[in-house]
Amino acid sequence: MVDKKVITELSEIVGEEYISTKQDVLLAYSSSASMASDPIIPGAVVRPTNAEQVSRIIQVAAKYDIPVTPRSGGSSLQEEVIPKLDGLVVELMRLDEIELHKELRSVTVGAGVTYGVLEKFLKEHDVFLPVYPESALVCTVAGNVAVNGAGPGSSKFGCTGELVLGVEVVLPDGQIITTGSEANPYAPGPYQRYAFGPDITGLFIGSLGGFGIITKVSMKVFKRHMFYDYNTFGFETHEQAERFMVDIKQNDINGVFTSLYEGPVLELFMDMIGEELGIPKYEWPFRTVSMTIGRVREDMMKSDAELAKKLCEKNGGHVIGISELPYSEWTGRLWFFVRACYIHGWHWRTLYHHQTPTNAHRSVEEIRDVMEKYGFLGHTAGFASGHSSFNAYPHLYFDPQDPEDEQKIRDAHKELAKTLFKTGAVPFKLAPYWADAIEGMDSYMAFLELVKKTIDSRGIMNPRVLGGL
Amino acid sequence: MTEVDLDELMENLAQCRRCGICRNAVYEDKGFDGVCPVWKNSAGFETSFMRGRIQVALALLEGRLEKTAENAESLYTCTLCGNCTSICAAEFDPAKCLESVRQVLREIPNEVRDTLAKKILENNNPYVEENRTRRYWVREVGFDIPSTGEVLYFTGCTAGLKLPETAKATAKVLKAAGVNFAVLEEEPCCGSVMLRTGMVDEAKRNAEKALEMIAKSGAKTIVVTCAGCLKTFREDYIERFGFDMPKVLHMIEYLKPLIESGKLKLKKSDEIQQITWHDPCHLGRALGVYEEPREILKAIPGVELVEMETNREAAMCCGSGGGLRSYDQEQAKKIAADRMHDAEEIHADILATACPFCEHNLKDGAIRIDSSIRVVDILDLIAEQLE
């Protein structure tokens, strides 16, 4: 329970309507989209409307040593917004401003703006924020910066963090700072992230609210691609497919979304949603690369498409030529993945991570091993996620009405995090799922702890993340 | 089938994996510009949209949350509009599940719900003690309407008692089309609101009474002007109660072929008017009737049909469904005002609909935002344009 005196102070900031200690409301904030997670009931929830209110809330929380969990879309899958018992949840969905800086090719959005909302807005201006998390209709841009997510678009543009020009953050003492070029009060807007020395913006990317609450983010936007090529490429060995993925990058082919699927995994997906999306039936090979090439000019697109076919054959593959799969992935990017994730009845735990493209098969092997050992259904697939990385998204399925099954997945999940770590994989962020998996990083973790203690000496900011530092 | 299979319900509720798409998804490809009207027009806590409601429902059903009126509040602040069902990526119907949850948890006190059911059972309508007054509009149409016949116009409580102009307009249109029709002497409530609020046993008792009266009328076809009556007769009476019902049509379904064949002639509107169509949730999402009213409106000479940003499967609700208008009138009116803003944005002169609940609530919404848009039932419009 949060003390009544504290509730009164918080009410004075946000107004009585926007604070709740009702049991049902607290219960609804005890969980998120993360599955097989123990719900934890907070003491109160507040819904501020701007950074100034967030600042005053944090000052009250600091005064009374109340742990604070920032939350926006509530779509995170790795327990990032599960609160502390009796803590305070600061829900940011009311921060919904959008400001386009067309000449600067950037946009600034409040922490409550989802990708779906922003996409509609940007489309009217013929630009786009080219990386979309799979939960784009629910997830906020600021939330995705806080977790440094990836998704369709990442194969060309990298993780969300790569697109950030600056952030507005409320620090644990209530101070509000703006990073990047906007730190200069005379700057015309966000145009350069690397300003005034160290990359302070980067400190908050993937920080999960452990250093402060992001209230605004400024992002790069790009002219929308007008010309696309959609194609699929088949390979009989993982080496062939992985080398092809590297060649695509080496030759500057603009694969905005380049997915790599194991044959049986693609069969599973197609069984679920193939017909619905109009994807023809096909006996998918050992490995399939599904690629959307996007360009602002047609000649560039055609050139890329031709070269991709040659590189496929050079690596021993064959052009499958089914365009409907990449077409659905890209044009339906706000829907395709969410549908694939929820059309079946299973609950699942995930363990998003990056590999190198030539190590993608190691993630497949590790999840297969753990599936065999524990005896459950699951899969992993992934996509090129930047300069030289590959994002894998393993799903471990369980029946939520069977506690033994759920426990099995929790155990398998824990083990998988450890084995994946040893393949050289890295998580996007230090969410609770990864806390037990990392080893041999003592100096790094000690430094991270120093940073945390320096910024958040009371340890009130989302204490469950960053390995519980 | 009036009992809820609890195992099946729990299995369905477990389909919700809390993705949150039911809150405010904006997805142009599917026509969504937001999803939950309550979330959008309230303080916006998690319990104001379906993800939170399902978590509360599960906690109440599993005993993790005490069964009190306060804890169950979010179960009743939902219009059951079904927009969440339209966009849900999982294979279940959240709105239908919530309706079942209300039924299972009916032991939780709820004065508004209980009063509504009591009034309907006692008075045959939720509004007045003298139910026979609901047929008084017949005196004003200028011709006799029998109480038996092959075509029965089931007026509904709201048209009969609150919006009699729609009932009169319907009678005028039917007569103009040369249809001999009847209106029951003392028509009962269809029981829709009882079903939506979880009072299924009471609804069944009421429905048995209604069925008997309908049977006595000799009706082979029932026409209605209320989307709630339509859904209740066409779906619930048959699927839930296993009744053998005559054919049930909304007037817009009944009239469309009459207009197309020229049996019912419509004259040109005095001036060109931009009319937008508000899809009632019970008519659209529930029963898939989207195009018939649009075709009828387009058939009125001089009318230009303009669409609000959200329409058909993704149309935002008027705010009055699911018992919300009774449970939280203020909330219902806020939602109505928001829907009227949608109509204002496209500069509509008239907003037409085919549900007296929608019409009644949207009129209040128009007042709230000082809108000059005329909110009207489509039957009123058709009656005005009769040759």
Side-chain angles (χ1 to χ4, degrees):
Chain A
M1 284 281 285
V2 175
D3 195 277
K4 275 187 182 167
K5 196 174 140 195
V6 179
I7 299 298
T8 305
E9 287 186 41
L10 292 171
S11 299
E12 283 164 7
I13 297 167
V14 294
E16 278 181 20
E17 192 184 356
Y18 294 107
I19 181 164
S20 183
T21 55
K22 282 188 73 205
Q23 288 304 302
D24 57 331
V25 173
L26 299 180
L27 179 125
Y29 284 89
S30 68
S31 58
S32 65
S34 306
M35 290 168 255
S37 297
D38 296 322
I40 299 174
I41 307 281
V45 182
V46 282
R47 301 191 76 233
T49 191
N50 54 44
E52 287 67 33
Q53 287 190 357
V54 175
S55 165
R56 291 171 63 197
I57 290 164
I58 297 302
Q59 287 174 55
V60 171
K63 186 164 79 177
Y64 295 101
D65 275 330
I66 300 168
V68 172
T69 301
R71 169 178 173 130
S72 48
S75 59
S76 54
L77 292 162
Q78 299 189 75
E79 299 187 355
E80 294 91 330
V81 296
I82 307 292
K84 287 287 270 189
L85 184 67
D86 293 337
L88 178 66
V89 173
V90 180
E91 204 243 62
L92 300 157
M93 291 303 290
R94 292 177 69 211
L95 280 71
D96 58 1
E97 320 85 6
I98 303 176
E99 187 184 359
L100 179 66
H101 318 277
K102 203 159 186 179
E103 293 298 313
L104 303 178
R105 303 175 69 221
S106 61
V107 67
T108 302
V109 297
V113 176
T114 66
Y115 280 86
V117 170
L118 184 60
E119 169 76 355
K120 184 183 172 197
F121 173 84
L122 293 179
K123 210 171 173 182
E124 288 165 12
H125 299 276
D126 195 29
V127 292
F128 72 148
L129 174 62
V131 172
Y132 302 80
E134 292 167 5
S135 55
L137 296 178
V138 188
C139 171
T140 63
V141 181
N144 203 247
V145 169
V147 303
N148 196 16
S154 287
S155 303
K156 166 63 186 170
F157 296 94
C159 296
T160 291
E162 310 274 0
L163 301 173
V164 183
L165 286 166
V167 293
E168 179 189 77
V169 186
V170 177
L171 297 172
D173 62 358
Q175 279 196 75
I176 304 171
I177 63 161
T178 307
T179 67
S181 54
E182 284 180 294
N184 177 350
Y186 302 102
Y191 63 94
Q192 177 57 269
R193 168 164 154 189
Y194 302 100
F196 307 107
D199 178 19
I200 300 296
T201 305
L203 186 64
F204 296 96
I205 295 171
S207 69
L208 305 171
F211 300 141
I213 296 183
I214 298 173
T215 45
K216 266 186 203 169
V217 289
S218 292
M219 310 293 290
K220 298 173 189 172
V221 294
F222 296 79
K223 185 173 168 61
R224 292 183 90 86
H225 293 147
M226 294 296 293
F227 300 97
Y228 288 102
D229 178 78
Y230 306 99
N231 215 335
T232 39
F233 307 90
F235 301 92
E236 296 313 316
T237 70
H238 65 73
E239 289 90 349
Q240 290 172 350
E242 290 168 0
R243 275 202 312 266
F244 174 66
M245 302 272 282
V246 173
D247 276 353
I248 291 295
K249 297 297 288 186
Q250 281 288 48
N251 287 277
D252 276 342
I253 288 174
N254 231 45
V256 287
F257 196 49
T258 312
S259 298
L260 175 61
Y261 294 102
E262 248 196 300
V265 171
L266 193 49
E267 296 285 355
L268 174 73
F269 284 164
M270 291 304 101
D271 281 350
M272 291 191 291
I273 56 171
E275 197 178 330
E276 184 176 309
L277 299 173
I279 298 167
K281 284 193 186 301
Y282 186 71
E283 204 167 306
W284 298 97
F286 179 74
R287 290 285 190 273
T288 296
V289 173
S290 168
M291 182 162 65
T292 296
I293 294 168
R295 286 286 194 183
V296 291
R297 294 211 312 265
E298 191 175 14
D299 57 336
M300 296 164 87
M301 179 275 287
K302 282 186 172 167
S303 163
D304 279 359
E306 278 311 305
L307 184 56
K309 288 179 196 166
K310 285 179 192 158
L311 292 172
C312 168
E313 281 157 12
K314 188 200 93 178
N315 282 295
H318 65 284
V319 178
I320 296 172
I322 291 178
S323 59
E324 290 86 346
L325 173 60
Y327 178 84
S328 293
E329 286 176 330
W330 182 252
T331 60
R333 58 196 178 273
L334 300 182
W335 175 252
F336 178 94
F337 298 95
V338 74
R339 180 68 171 144
C341 285
Y342 296 107
I343 186 172
H344 55 71
W346 292 302
H347 282 220
W348 38 272
R349 265 196 169 196
T350 190
L351 208 58
Y352 292 132
H353 62 277
H354 294 295
Q355 279 283 9
T356 67
T358 50
N359 221 18
H361 64 282
R362 292 290 292 118
S363 289
V364 174
E365 287 164 5
E366 291 305 333
I367 187 171
R368 207 180 281 149
D369 285 352
V370 83
M371 277 164 63
E372 268 171 35
K373 181 175 170 186
Y374 286 87
F376 65 89
L377 283 171
H379 69 75
T380 192
F383 53 87
S385 57
H387 184 70
S388 191
S389 68
F390 172 84
N391 175 316
Y393 49 92
H395 282 191
L396 288 67
Y397 295 134
F398 67 94
D399 174 0
Q401 292 177 311
D402 179 347
E404 277 182 29
D405 200 35
E406 181 174 329
Q407 187 55 48
K408 186 165 68 183
I409 289 302
R410 287 185 185 220
D411 295 341
H413 190 261
K414 210 166 186 172
E415 185 172 322
L416 183 62
K418 288 179 180 171
T419 57
L420 283 171
F421 181 79
K422 286 183 178 161
T423 66
V426 294
F428 304 8
K429 67 257 170 164
L430 207 39
Y433 284 8
W434 286 94
D436 296 333
I438 53 178
E439 59 175 75
M441 289 175 50
D442 294 350
S443 303
Y444 180 92
M445 291 307 291
F447 179 68
L448 190 61
E449 190 171 358
L450 178 65
V451 173
K452 170 75 175 170
K453 283 188 173 160
T454 305
I455 298 173
D456 180 22
S457 57
R458 292 172 182 272
I460 61 166
M461 296 308 306
N462 210 5
R464 295 187 72 247
V465 300
L466 301 178
L469 292 174
Chain B
M1 182 75 181
T2 56
E3 288 302 308
V4 174
D5 180 333
L6 199 54
D7 289 340
E8 192 185 331
L9 177 62
M10 296 304 278
E11 204 170 301
N12 272 320
L13 292 171
Q15 287 291 312
C16 175
R17 279 147 283 179
R18 304 185 293 270
C19 78
I21 205 167
C22 48
R23 180 187 55 218
N24 67 329
V26 172
Y27 186 28
E28 281 187 295
D29 288 4
K30 286 183 178 284
F32 287 93
D33 188 43
V35 179
C36 181
V38 179
W39 180 82
K40 192 180 174 199
N41 294 286
S42 67
F45 287 102
E46 277 281 317
T47 45
S48 66
F49 68 102
M50 194 52 91
R51 173 169 70 179
R53 295 184 207 283
I54 289 180
Q55 298 321 302
V56 170
L58 281 165
L60 289 167
L61 290 164
E62 290 169 358
R64 287 182 284 119
L65 196 59
E66 197 185 343
K67 292 186 178 76
T68 65
E70 193 185 16
N71 285 341
E73 192 185 343
S74 65
L75 306 184
Y76 295 96
T77 53
C78 173
T79 65
L80 301 178
C81 73
N83 218 15
C84 51
T85 302
S86 284
I87 201 167
C88 184
E91 292 291 293
F92 85 122
D93 183 338
K96 204 167 187 177
C97 282
L98 189 63
E99 201 175 294
S100 297
V101 168
R102 289 177 175 182
Q103 183 182 347
V104 173
L105 293 175
R106 53 168 294 176
E107 72 202 76
I108 299 175
N110 183 319
E111 202 184 324
V112 172
R113 173 199 64 193
D114 296 347
T115 305
L116 274 171
K118 187 169 176 277
K119 280 184 178 172
I120 292 169
L121 286 175
E122 285 176 359
N123 305 328
N124 281 331
N125 74 78
Y127 301 126
V128 297
E129 285 182 13
E130 290 293 319
N131 190 52
R132 62 195 163 84
T133 61
R134 70 190 295 154
R135 207 178 189 274
Y136 283 2
W137 61 268
V138 171
R139 299 172 184 173
E140 295 170 35
V141 296
F143 54 89
D144 287 337
I145 302 175
S147 56
T148 59
E150 290 193 356
V151 177
L152 176 70
Y153 170 36
F154 192 93
T155 321
C157 303
T158 307
L161 291 161
K162 292 207 158 190
L163 300 166
E165 292 310 313
T166 301
K168 285 187 263 177
T170 304
K172 196 175 156 189
V173 171
L174 283 169
K175 186 164 176 65
V179 179
N180 293 317
F181 67 98
V183 171
L184 290 177
E185 203 54 56
E186 201 175 323
E187 185 185 275
C189 175
C190 72
S192 173
V193 71
M194 293 160 131
L195 287 162
R196 309 303 152 226
T197 55
M199 304 295 272
V200 177
D201 292 339
E202 290 79 357
K204 192 175 181 199
R205 263 192 284 152
N206 175 74
E208 281 161 353
K209 184 166 57 183
L211 183 71
E212 193 185 328
M213 292 170 82
I214 289 167
K216 278 184 186 163
S217 76
K220 289 184 178 160
T221 301
I222 302 173
V223 291
V224 296
T225 45
C226 172
C229 294
L230 182 72
K231 177 178 154 71
T232 304
F233 285 153
R234 196 184 277 179
E235 267 192 10
D236 298 292
Y237 276 33
I238 296 168
E239 291 169 19
R240 282 200 199 198
F241 301 147
F243 289 173
D244 189 11
M245 288 290 286
K247 189 175 181 183
V248 185
L249 294 170
H250 194 283
M251 274 295 287
I252 54 178
E253 297 172 293
Y254 189 76
L255 290 181
K256 188 174 167 265
L258 297 178
I259 293 171
E260 283 173 349
S261 67
K263 252 189 166 175
L264 193 65
K265 288 191 171 52
L266 303 176
K267 67 182 179 192
K268 193 171 186 300
S269 181
D270 293 339
E271 53 187 290
I272 291 180
Q273 292 191 305
Q274 293 210 319
I275 302 188
T276 192
W277 176 251
H278 168 77
D279 291 282
C281 304
H282 285 328
L283 192 64
R285 273 186 289 269
L287 298 170
V289 180
Y290 295 116
E291 300 313 320
E292 290 88 339
R294 289 176 168 83
E295 292 302 320
I296 290 175
L297 289 174
K298 281 192 275 187
I300 302 175
V303 159
E304 187 190 340
L305 179 67
V306 288
E307 294 287 357
M308 286 184 274
E309 175 148 18
T310 64
N311 56 70
R312 298 178 173 82
E313 290 89 346
M316 290 301 269
C317 172
C318 76
S320 67
L324 183 66
R325 169 89 192 190
S326 302
Y327 192 75
D328 187 344
Q329 194 173 117
E330 191 57 19
Q331 178 67 75
K333 287 182 185 177
K334 272 189 200 172
I335 295 170
D338 193 39
R339 188 57 172 160
M340 289 308 299
H341 270 301
D342 292 348
E344 286 282 348
E345 272 180 16
I346 56 162
H347 309 294
D349 301 310
I350 294 173
L351 180 147
T353 190
C355 172
F357 284 95
C358 296
E359 184 190 346
H360 188 50
N361 203 41
L362 288 168
K363 277 180 170 161
D364 282 342
I367 293 167
R368 207 180 170 97
I369 62 164
D370 204 18
S371 171
S372 59
I373 295 173
R374 182 182 169 212
V375 178
V376 66
D377 191 285
I378 190 169
L379 265 302
D380 294 316
L381 271 186
I382 295 169
E384 287 167 15
Q385 299 306 126
L386 289 176
E387 276 192 353

